[in-house]
Amino acid sequence: MPYRLDVTQGDWPAEELAKGVEGILSESMVLTLATAGPERGPHANLAFFAYDTDLVLYFVSERSTRHSLNLAEEARAAATVFLPPPVFGEQLRGIQLTGGAGEAWGRQAEAALEAYQSRYPGFAQDPEVREQFLAGGGAAALYRFQVEELTAVDEPQFGRRNYLRAQVLR
């Protein structure tokens, strides 16, 4: 893993926290993305996502959506990824993320496409569609969310209501 976590709240080894975060990411396919823009205000949406070993999350969206327009104005976002608890209020597992986000271009678009196709093998298999994503020519685009800070709760792993906060170092 090319990134490191600097645990700023909670008493847990960074390597164990990273394994817990990656476990939650691998078990969920959808994130909730929160953005805000001066013209449109705050907005939340759901998106299928993929991620890489550097704790960068990738999603696909139409450029005309409210969240995409917000990211074009302000390249900051927050997200949550969580797993449904088996019982109300028990065995909570999820992460809250903040960082920079925006459309992926060049090598970032290639990394986004590779991560996305690794998770969703049927995505952009048509060469023309693939090229549109890499060249940025279609209505939809690849986006990247570079996590800078996170808060994780994984009660089965870290204990009840043990919220762990960390900075992501690269």
Side-chain angles (χ1 to χ4, degrees):
M1 109 184 52
Y3 71 93
R4 291 182 300 113
L5 294 179
D6 179 18
V7 179
T8 58
Q9 177 183 321
D11 187 21
W12 208 266
E15 296 80 21
E16 291 299 315
L17 176 55
K19 286 179 189 173
V21 165
E22 290 171 11
I24 291 168
L25 292 174
S26 71
E27 291 182 49
S28 181
M29 294 175 58
V30 177
L31 61 75
T32 302
L33 182 74
T35 61
E39 295 295 318
R40 286 163 289 283
H43 176 68
N45 72 288
L46 299 176
F48 286 95
F49 75 95
Y51 62 97
D52 66 17
T53 59
D54 202 27
L55 203 53
V56 176
L57 281 58
Y58 302 100
F59 60 96
V60 176
S61 189
E62 299 272 330
R63 290 185 175 94
S64 62
T65 62
R66 186 170 173 182
H67 55 274
S68 294
L69 294 170
N70 282 347
L71 289 175
E73 293 175 354
E74 176 64 46
R76 304 274 312 147
T80 60
V81 176
F82 66 93
L83 301 169
V87 178
F88 173 78
E90 298 298 326
Q91 301 300 305
L92 303 178
R93 294 183 70 206
I95 50 177
Q96 301 164 355
L97 312 158
T98 58
E103 194 170 331
W105 295 96
R107 285 190 300 228
Q108 292 177 351
E110 291 171 8
L113 187 61
E114 180 181 328
Y116 218 77
Q117 287 181 323
S118 176
R119 189 153 207 199
Y120 309 106
F123 178 76
Q125 290 301 310
D126 179 278
E128 188 175 308
V129 172
R130 176 184 169 81
E131 187 53 36
Q132 279 187 338
F133 276 111
L134 292 176
L142 295 160
Y143 287 80
R144 71 187 308 268
F145 181 104
Q146 183 166 312
V147 180
E148 296 168 2
E149 185 177 272
L150 61 85
T151 301
V153 60
D154 187 342
E155 290 183 346
Q157 179 77 17
F158 305 130
R160 185 169 169 76
R161 304 299 190 265
N162 192 7
Y163 295 90
L164 304 175
R165 187 174 178 147
Q167 298 286 326
V168 179
L169 306 175
R170 291 180 176 86

